[in-house]
């Protein structure tokens, strides 16, 4: 499925078959729209169309005539590019750093079929590029495989985040035949000792054994860097090699939640240890090979802030919408419910409008990283929960700057 979405700067076009997306300026977007009136023969000779085909946006020149066009009159993105969908707030682990602990009520722990179908309707109507299937642990939803079948039948690109412990032979075999699954993200956060301590269960060996059964290109290992595991990434690589698992490591930085601040403070980075953390990551060649996704530097975040409410949003199990999964259960950040509110109104709600018009603090305005757009100000949830202001400074600011300098 190919969708072209008109936007204030021109447009966005994406192909869910190839998981590719491109931004087009006003002139190119208009050109793509008008060229449909040309003959198939002239389209094949068109240099611009050829370049898009070479970039894997089109698999055949006839795809030009199959593009679904969506209009937009907003000064912001007409809809999110991606939606995080929590299909289960239940989990079989109790990871120390997880935002899910003590933030989700025990009611509506499992997303129903009706709510999930509503999400799919929204994706199709508003031309949303991709869904991120999350939890809790999504495989605890008894309809997990049915949900995957729906996404495949509707040609929707999606990513699944899982701790990997519940992958069985049936699911593993099925995953290999899925066309619209971009990636399976499996969480590991340290070598055996540290990972099991963070997970509070002895699951390290079990997860790697399951990873070994998966096709290499199908999955990535998600690694949340924190104060307890930043030094043992090389050891994890050795463990992965021992199990003959060939996987990309995808790094992110721990996020702050009220529960984490109160109960697991030792996982958070201390200012006095930032240089030690950076030196360790450099020695392990983490920053050299692939910089962690730290700065939220999406080009669509025009002013100050992060993708929350500007590029993406999150839907909880009962259909409640928040700008980000870290805000689940926070009444002040509630944007609406997809089962009773119009999604366009949700996307342009008071909460999201505020996030698109935040005032950067004085420290950011005078920072070269912010001025040169290397950083957009960092995580707004971190700022809110640590400094009690959505317009505050991300407490990991100094760490981010050293990682991207």
């Amino acid at each position: 499925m190919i969708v072209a979405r008109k936007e204030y700067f021109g447009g966005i076009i994406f192909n869910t078959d190839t998981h590719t997306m491109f931004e087009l300026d006003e002139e190119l977007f208009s050109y793509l729209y008008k060229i449909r009136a040309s003959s198939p023969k002239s389209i094949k000779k068109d240099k611009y169309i050829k370049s898009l085909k070479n970039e894997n946006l089109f698999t055949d020149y006839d795809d030009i005539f199959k593009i679904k066009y969506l209009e937009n009159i907003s000064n912001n993105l007409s809809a999110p590019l991606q939606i995080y969908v929590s299909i289960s707030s239940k989990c079989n682990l109790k990871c120390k750093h997880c935002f899910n602990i003590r933030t989700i009520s025990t009611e509506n722990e499992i997303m129903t079929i009706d709510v999930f179908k509503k999400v799919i309707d929204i994706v199709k109507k508003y031309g949303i590029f991709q869904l991120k299937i999350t939890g809790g642990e999504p495989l605890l939803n008894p309809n997990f495989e049915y949900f995957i079948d729906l996404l495949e039948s509707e040609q929707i690109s999606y990513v699944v985040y899982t701790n990997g412990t519940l992958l069985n032979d049936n699911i593993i075999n099925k995953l290999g035949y899925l066309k619209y699954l971009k990636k399976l993200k499996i969480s590991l956060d340290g070598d055996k000792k540290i990972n099991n301590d963070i997970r509070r269960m002895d699951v390290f060996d079990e997860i790697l054994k399951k990873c070994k059964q998966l096709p290499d290109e199908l999955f990535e290992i998600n690694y949340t860097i924190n104060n307890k595991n930043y030094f043992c990434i090389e050891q994890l690589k050795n463990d992965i090699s021992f199990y003959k698992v060939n996987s990309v490591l995808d790094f992110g930085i721990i996020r702050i939640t009220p529960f984490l601040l109160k109960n697991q403070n030792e996982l958070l980075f201390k200012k006095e240890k930032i240089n030690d953390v950076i030196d360790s990551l450099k020695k392990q060649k983490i920053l050299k090979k692939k910089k962690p996704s730290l700065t939220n530097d999406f080009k669509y975040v025009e002013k100050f802030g992060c993708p929350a409410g500007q590029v993406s949003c999150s839907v909880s199990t009962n259909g409640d919408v928040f700008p980000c999964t870290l805000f689940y259960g926070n009444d002040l950040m509630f944007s609406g419910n997809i089962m009773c509110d119009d999604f366009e109104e949700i996307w342009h709600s008071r909460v999201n409008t505020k996030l698109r018009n935040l005032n950067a603090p004085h420290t950011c305005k005078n920072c070269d990283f912010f001025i040169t757009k290397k950083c957009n100000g960092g995580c707004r949830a971190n700022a809110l929960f640590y400094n009690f202001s959505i317009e505050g400074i991300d407490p990991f600011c100094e760490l981010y700057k050293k990682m991207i300098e």
Side-chain angles (χ1 to χ4, degrees):
M1 179 173 63
I2 305 175
V3 176
R5 221 171 76 182
K6 186 78 177 71
E7 298 293 349
Y8 62 94
F9 51 79
I12 295 170
I13 184 168
F14 60 83
N15 187 332
T16 59
D17 288 36
T18 59
H19 308 287
T20 51
M21 183 178 73
F22 294 91
E23 176 186 322
L24 309 177
D25 62 23
E26 188 74 47
E27 183 179 356
L28 289 178
F29 190 86
S30 177
Y31 180 79
L32 188 65
Y33 184 82
K34 292 176 181 177
I35 200 172
R36 296 180 303 167
S38 304
S39 68
K41 186 176 181 180
S42 61
I43 285 176
K44 288 181 181 180
K45 293 180 180 180
D46 188 278
K47 291 182 179 180
Y48 175 57
I49 300 302
K50 278 185 178 180
S51 67
L52 289 177
K53 187 174 183 294
N54 290 337
E55 292 288 346
N56 215 24
L57 182 61
F58 306 127
T59 55
D60 189 275
Y61 289 106
D62 288 341
D63 289 343
I64 293 292
F65 304 105
K66 302 175 185 176
I67 298 175
K68 177 182 178 182
Y69 282 87
L70 298 174
E71 291 295 324
N72 173 36
I73 57 174
S74 171
N75 291 324
N76 305 106
L77 283 179
S78 59
L81 297 183
Q82 56 193 14
I83 297 180
Y84 289 81
V85 185
S86 177
I87 65 171
S88 168
S89 62
K90 296 170 63 178
C91 190
N92 56 323
L93 302 180
K94 294 183 179 179
C95 304
K96 291 181 177 180
H97 63 287
C98 183
F99 71 88
N100 195 54
I101 297 179
R102 307 286 177 85
T103 63
I104 307 293
S105 96
T106 55
E107 298 179 9
N108 304 305
E109 289 183 313
I110 298 296
M111 180 173 282
T112 65
I113 292 174
D114 286 344
V115 175
F116 193 78
K117 284 184 174 179
K118 183 65 175 181
V119 172
I120 289 179
D121 290 343
I122 289 169
V123 170
K124 292 166 61 180
K125 180 177 180 179
Y126 294 96
I128 294 164
F129 174 50
Q130 195 169 77
L131 289 184
K132 310 277 193 176
I133 307 301
T134 69
E137 172 49 52
L139 271 68
L140 280 172
N141 189 311
N143 295 308
F144 172 77
E145 291 188 59
Y146 176 65
F147 289 172
I148 297 306
D149 290 339
L150 286 176
L151 293 172
E152 290 288 321
S153 66
E154 296 293 348
Q155 302 176 31
I156 294 172
S157 175
Y158 61 101
V159 176
V160 176
Y161 292 79
T162 175
N163 60 41
T165 59
L166 300 179
L167 291 170
N168 55 40
D169 291 342
N170 182 53
I171 293 176
I172 289 173
N173 291 334
K174 181 171 186 171
L175 291 174
Y177 295 96
L178 300 176
K179 182 177 181 180
Y180 295 97
L181 173 64
K182 181 179 181 181
K183 200 68 68 175
L184 187 70
K185 300 271 195 173
I186 299 176
S187 300
L188 280 175
D189 294 313
D191 58 17
K192 181 174 181 177
K193 179 181 178 181
I194 291 176
N195 179 80
N196 288 343
D197 176 64
I198 291 174
R199 297 274 178 265
R200 305 184 208 245
M201 287 184 68
D202 185 4
V203 294
F204 185 83
D205 294 322
E206 176 188 356
I207 293 170
L208 283 179
K209 287 176 182 177
K210 292 177 186 292
C211 288
K212 188 178 178 180
Q213 300 178 59
L214 294 167
D216 295 342
E217 69 280 0
L218 184 66
F219 75 102
E220 290 179 353
I221 290 177
N222 252 22
Y223 195 103
T224 301
I225 302 173
N226 61 58
N227 192 48
K228 289 289 187 180
N229 70 3
Y230 66 86
F231 54 83
C232 62
I233 297 172
E234 279 300 313
Q235 182 56 50
L236 173 60
K237 291 179 180 178
N238 294 334
D239 294 334
I240 289 173
S241 297
F242 175 79
Y243 275 94
K244 298 181 179 180
V245 171
N246 184 21
S247 171
V248 171
L249 284 175
D250 190 24
F251 300 103
I253 291 292
I254 190 170
R255 295 297 190 224
I256 294 174
T257 65
F259 178 80
L260 195 64
L261 283 169
K262 184 178 180 180
N263 299 280
Q264 301 295 340
N265 194 262
E266 79 277 4
L267 295 177
L268 300 177
F269 296 107
K270 308 297 187 291
K271 286 185 178 180
E272 60 270 19
K273 289 191 68 175
I274 285 179
N275 287 333
D276 292 339
V277 173
I278 294 300
D279 289 344
S280 177
L281 293 176
K282 285 181 177 177
K283 286 178 182 178
Q284 297 176 93
K285 300 180 180 179
I286 301 308
L287 299 186
K288 181 180 179 181
K289 288 185 178 180
K290 182 180 179 182
K291 293 179 181 177
S293 54
L294 307 169
T295 59
N296 298 318
D297 53 351
F298 282 70
K299 65 182 72 176
Y300 309 108
V301 179
E302 289 290 318
K303 300 176 184 177
F304 170 74
C306 64
Q310 300 196 59
V311 178
S312 60
C313 67
S314 301
V315 179
S316 68
T317 51
N318 69 343
D320 284 348
V321 182
F322 298 88
C324 169
T325 54
L326 294 171
F327 292 127
Y328 278 170
N330 187 320
D331 291 342
L332 294 176
M333 303 306 293
F334 173 71
S335 302
N337 184 288
I338 61 172
M339 301 305 287
C340 53
D341 299 316
D342 179 75
F343 186 75
E344 187 171 354
E345 293 181 5
I346 293 174
W347 181 241
H348 296 294
S349 65
R350 175 190 57 80
V351 170
N352 290 335
T353 299
K354 180 176 176 59
L355 287 168
R356 295 164 195 160
N357 294 280
L358 296 175
N359 293 311
H362 183 75
T363 304
C364 289
K365 288 180 179 178
N366 291 282
C367 173
D368 287 341
F369 288 86
F370 183 73
I371 294 170
T372 58
K373 284 291 184 181
K374 291 180 180 177
C375 172
N376 288 321
C379 174
R380 293 302 86 211
N382 280 357
L384 178 63
F385 296 138
Y386 193 86
N387 289 316
F388 308 104
S389 171
I390 200 74
E391 295 181 330
I393 296 172
D394 185 326
F396 294 154
C397 170
E398 292 303 316
L399 178 65
Y400 297 162
K401 287 196 288 190
K402 289 183 178 295
M403 284 184 161
I404 60 179
E405 53 182 22

